[in-house]
Amino acid sequence: MSILLDARDIGKRFGGVEALSAISLTIEHGEIYGLIGPNGAGKTTFFNVLTGVYRADSGGFSFDGAPLNVSAPHQVAVAGIARTFQNIRLFANMSALENVMVGRHVRTHAGIFGAILRGAGTRAEERAIHERARALLDYVGLAARGNEIAHSLPYGDQRRLEIARALATDPKLLALDEPAAGMNATETATLRQLLERIRTDGTTLLLIEHDMKLVMGLCDRIAVLDYGRKIAEGAPAAVRKDAAVIEAYLGGELA
Amino acid sequence: MTFTDKLKTNPAALWSGVVLIACALIALPFALAMAGTTWVRVTNLAILFTLLALGLNIVVGFAGLLDLGYIAFYGVGAYVYALLASPQFNLHLPFWVILPIGALAACVFGVLLGAPTLKLRGDYLAIVTLGFGEIVRIFFNNLSQPVNITNGPQGISRIDPFTIGSFSFSQNEVLLGLNFSGPIKYYYLLLLVLIAVIVINLRLEDSRIGRAWQAIREDEVAAQAMGINTTRIKLLAFAMGASFGGVAGGMFAAMQGFISPESFVLVESVMVLSMVVLGGMGNIWGVIVGALLLSFVPELLRHTVDPLQRSLFGRLIVEPEVVRMLLFGLALMLMMLFRPAGLWPSKVRQRELADE
């Protein structure tokens, strides 16, 4: 397998706090890569640096064989990285379908004049956006809810809608920030099936998650962060037995 | 089933409605002319302000950017027309050349204002745009020295009316026994422009760009994560809105034949914004209702308050202007209490306001 994302020595400081220190990791094409660690370990910071919300103080990413040079967050999506948010950030007052249609923005082209003149090209593109958005809603199991307003959907559906919206950008890497947070067991099981299917269909996944059962069962490889450092990396079975990981989660004295 | 749904399922009713409205709009200026040509002029100004409100609606209603200096773009369009079609520089270009130039100039000013400021949000953006509006007006006021460009506070007069060959929009003409006065001709022209602007607005709203505007309004961080270049898309809204203002300004200059910086004061920006807010941000039909109401009601008051008081009390007790401001304040309060999203809000905007 070839490398999709290569992070080298990523460092990020907030004042005196070293949120990330020299994090290096590689994600391969087609795998599900988990990022875990206790609260405040730097998982979300890493996520935000990767997706251009923060700028790294040191180090850099290369993505799909080319350096990832980001000066604005939207370029990350252009490059092929889509994300979801820890605290759901849908376009709350738009319909589910419209949310997914917005996701197609980055792969479509109609501009002001296209919108005003509405020529054959623009109309064909609009139809394609519509069809693709409907197909994606169906893919995540929300086919019947396209016309509902996003914020009126049940919690689990909102999470899945966020995934559909992210998939609409045709990502090579889908980065999910705690997708199972707040879900009950049934919802988590459905989510797991969905994520496995996304991987089977060719999208690489990066997953931050606290639900250990989900992470251990789903991920091919896992990196563990603690106080901004990577303390372990490897297959779930190996990471689970790692002394440093046990210490980070349970505390040194107890272990 | 809502009214619009009923219309959709009954195309015959829809089309007969459209034909009726079209006939009414065509006959309107002659009916108004019977009450006095003033009323045709008032209607023309109302349509002009509707154009402005629809332009501002792109910025405020669609993209959610509060712009308190919108009248500056109107001013730019008006001055471009006045300078290129008046004795000021002895230039007399035809209007179909100048209007696009005016729209382009206003668009450039829109980008000039937007590029450095669109990182600001909410109140901060509003303050910067307010400052911009005032700066532009002060330039109009002072650009009479050292080289006289704008003629300062005296303004520019004897501006050319629209002409096509020997056909002038300012002259009376009798056709089929009907008297087509200048204002009536402008009325039809304005109506055509208004229809075009409405179509443009409707199409923009329901497009890739329109969805991007809405997404930015809802959640800018999420919009960026979806690959929307928010700076560029916001700039597009500014540029589009400004261009509409520029076109309206050019038509204003030609219709009035005279402009001065006084037409482009802050109160005018507030007025146009009030039209958008009163009617219902983001809903084109609401904005039109708001613009027409705020244009006509003061004129009606002007013509009724004075005679009414004289006939009741024998003398004038309250000036019409005072009554206007009183009613304006009252209307604002009632709106905030009972219809905070406007008289005829867009459904999405209504939900947004209910959440906040």
Side-chain angles (χ1 to χ4, degrees), chain B:
Chain B
M1 201 147 90
T2 66
F3 181 66
T4 41
D5 287 337
K6 272 183 192 160
L7 279 182
K8 268 176 206 157
T9 52
N10 190 349
L14 178 70
W15 282 110
S16 45
V18 169
V19 169
L20 272 178
I21 292 172
C23 290
L25 286 175
I26 289 168
L28 181 68
F30 295 101
L32 288 170
M34 279 188 254
T37 310
T38 324
W39 285 103
V40 185
R41 284 184 214 279
V42 168
T43 309
N44 286 352
L45 272 181
I47 299 179
L48 210 52
F49 269 90
T50 310
L51 292 177
L52 279 179
L54 285 172
L56 184 61
N57 182 49
I58 294 179
V59 182
V60 179
F62 290 173
L65 307 163
L66 188 50
D67 183 352
L68 290 180
Y70 185 66
I71 211 72
F73 305 122
Y74 183 57
V76 168
Y79 267 89
V80 165
Y81 188 90
L83 294 176
L84 295 179
S86 74
Q88 177 75 358
F89 292 134
N90 222 3
L91 288 170
H92 298 280
L93 301 181
F95 76 90
W96 64 84
V97 175
I98 309 178
L99 280 188
I101 297 177
L104 194 69
C107 175
V108 167
F109 271 85
V111 172
L112 279 180
L113 167 66
T117 58
L118 280 175
K119 287 195 173 122
L120 303 172
R121 289 182 199 185
D123 308 350
Y124 301 100
L125 180 67
I127 290 165
V128 175
T129 53
L130 191 154
F132 172 80
E134 283 299 278
I135 290 168
V136 168
R137 182 182 62 82
I138 291 166
F139 261 101
F140 292 151
N141 230 337
N142 293 320
L143 273 183
S144 50
Q145 284 171 324
V147 186
N148 186 0
I149 299 174
T150 62
N151 212 21
Q154 284 94 25
I156 298 172
S157 51
R158 288 192 291 145
I159 300 168
D160 300 347
F162 286 180
T163 47
I164 304 171
S166 62
F167 178 82
S168 167
F169 276 86
S170 64
Q171 278 159 4
N172 266 358
E173 231 154 307
V174 179
L175 198 71
L176 304 170
L178 288 169
N179 182 23
F180 284 83
S181 64
I184 291 182
K185 288 190 217 165
Y186 275 118
Y187 168 86
Y188 287 121
L189 185 67
L190 281 164
L191 200 60
L192 285 179
V193 176
L194 179 65
I195 291 168
V197 168
I198 291 174
V199 170
I200 291 174
N201 259 268
L202 285 171
R203 289 189 164 188
L204 279 178
E205 189 180 20
D206 177 28
S207 73
R208 173 174 172 267
I209 302 291
R211 280 192 301 272
W213 282 333
Q214 200 182 340
I216 290 174
R217 217 170 66 207
E218 295 265 340
D219 189 328
E220 195 165 340
V221 173
Q224 284 175 331
M226 291 302 109
I228 294 172
N229 185 344
T230 50
T231 315
R232 210 184 89 102
I233 294 286
K234 285 198 233 172
L235 214 50
L236 266 180
F238 252 66
M240 276 310 288
S243 315
F244 282 19
V247 171
M251 301 189 77
F252 173 72
M255 278 162 54
Q256 302 287 316
F258 165 76
I259 57 163
S260 74
E262 245 170 82
S263 303
F264 312 108
V265 289
L266 175 65
V267 177
E268 299 288 317
S269 280
V270 173
M271 204 64 193
V272 179
L273 185 63
S274 304
M275 291 169 175
V276 175
V277 175
L278 172 77
M281 273 185 279
N283 182 18
I284 293 155
W285 309 112
V287 169
I288 294 172
V289 169
L292 293 178
L293 269 180
L294 285 189
S295 303
F296 277 114
V297 170
E299 292 300 325
L300 285 173
L301 286 177
R302 203 202 303 273
H303 287 85
T304 51
V305 168
D306 193 331
L308 189 72
Q309 288 185 65
R310 282 184 202 284
S311 65
L312 282 179
F313 311 112
R315 64 196 170 90
L316 186 68
I317 301 171
V318 193
E319 292 283 330
E321 178 60 20
V322 176
V323 174
R324 188 170 81 97
M325 289 321 270
L326 272 174
L327 285 180
F328 209 77
L330 185 68
L332 272 181
M333 285 198 299
L334 291 177
M335 287 291 298
M336 290 305 120
L337 283 173
F338 299 111
R339 306 218 37 116
L343 292 174
W344 189 355
S346 82
K347 286 189 186 106
V348 177
R349 275 296 202 165
Q350 206 167 14
R351 287 196 295 266
E352 283 170 14
L353 281 162
D355 287 347
E356 278 160 14

Side-chain angles (χ1 to χ4, degrees), chain A residues 200-228:
Chain A
T200 314
D201 291 340
T203 306
T204 309
L205 291 166
L206 168 62
L207 186 68
I208 292 182
E209 187 50 68
H210 276 301
D211 185 328
M212 282 305 145
K213 219 175 108 196
L214 178 68
V215 173
M216 294 294 167
L218 189 63
C219 295
D220 301 304
R221 284 193 307 142
I222 294 171
V224 187
L225 300 189
D226 191 30
Y227 294 110

